[in-house]
Amino acid sequence: MNRRMVILACLVAWLALACLAIACRDRESKAIVSTGGVPAAGKKALFERGCGACHTIPGVPGANALVGPPLDHMASRVYVAGMLTNTPEHLRTFITHPQRVKPGSAMPEVPLSETEARDVVAYLYTLE
Ligand code: HEC
């Protein structure tokens, strides 16, 4: 490879990385605006509350279980748990009180503070 090709390859790689960074930031700010939560804190809460014991959740360490549905693409889903339209509020309601929303669901009530629930929804909304 001559020097010009190397420079061109570096330029292309740099451009691709820059686009990726902009896309990630855009996704994150969209999630913050629509949910009022903090995605990074939500990711931490998903880990600490053990949601990964039942779910596969991209980006959350150790979250690769298949007891419940995978939580990838949560921002693009039409329904939450197959019954509520997918809005930040409905998602928050379901994750804080699955048994109230859908009695008999295999998803247990996991104690989450209001802030944690909002942050978890913010993180899930970064998963397009
Ligand atoms: C004991 C296993 C278990 C744990 C722990 C658990 N879930 Fe679930 N979850 C499920 C099951 C099973 C479903 C499917 C429920 C249904 O559709 O009735 C579900 C459904 C969901 C859904 C709806 C998914 C969809 O495809 O619409 C979300 C969102 C969710 N869980 C988030 C969480 C979060 C956040 C936590 C941690 C606070 C958590 N879950 C902890 C088992 C679990």
Side-chain angles (χ1 to χ4, degrees):
M1 220 190 290
N2 65 29
R3 208 197 287 147
R4 211 177 279 168
M5 290 262 293
V6 171
I7 291 173
L8 193 67
C10 287
L11 203 66
V12 169
W14 181 85
L15 267 177
L17 278 177
C19 289
L20 197 70
I22 290 168
C24 285
R25 242 207 351 240
D26 185 46
R27 238 182 2 221
E28 193 157 315
S29 39
K30 253 188 358 206
I32 293 170
V33 170
S34 64
T35 65
V38 180
K43 183 173 167 176
K44 191 162 167 269
L46 281 158
F47 176 73
E48 288 174 354
R49 296 294 168 183
C51 311
C54 291
H55 293 285
T56 294
I57 316 167
V60 176
N64 47 25
L66 293 170
V67 179
L71 302 184
D72 56 349
H73 304 296
M74 272 316 292
S76 311
R77 306 273 182 93
V78 176
Y79 292 105
V80 174
M83 62 179 304
L84 299 173
T85 48
N86 186 7
T87 65
E89 196 150 330
H90 285 165
L91 188 52
R92 200 171 69 232
T93 306
F94 179 77
I95 64 170
T96 45
H97 296 296
Q99 294 301 319
R100 226 182 271 171
V101 174
K102 194 175 176 186
S105 167
M107 162 109 175
E109 299 264 338
V110 179
L112 284 177
S113 74
E114 226 173 89
T115 309
E116 279 176 324
R118 204 179 298 275
D119 293 342
V120 162
V121 171
Y123 182 71
L124 294 177
Y125 264 57
T126 65
L127 306 176
E128 287 182 339

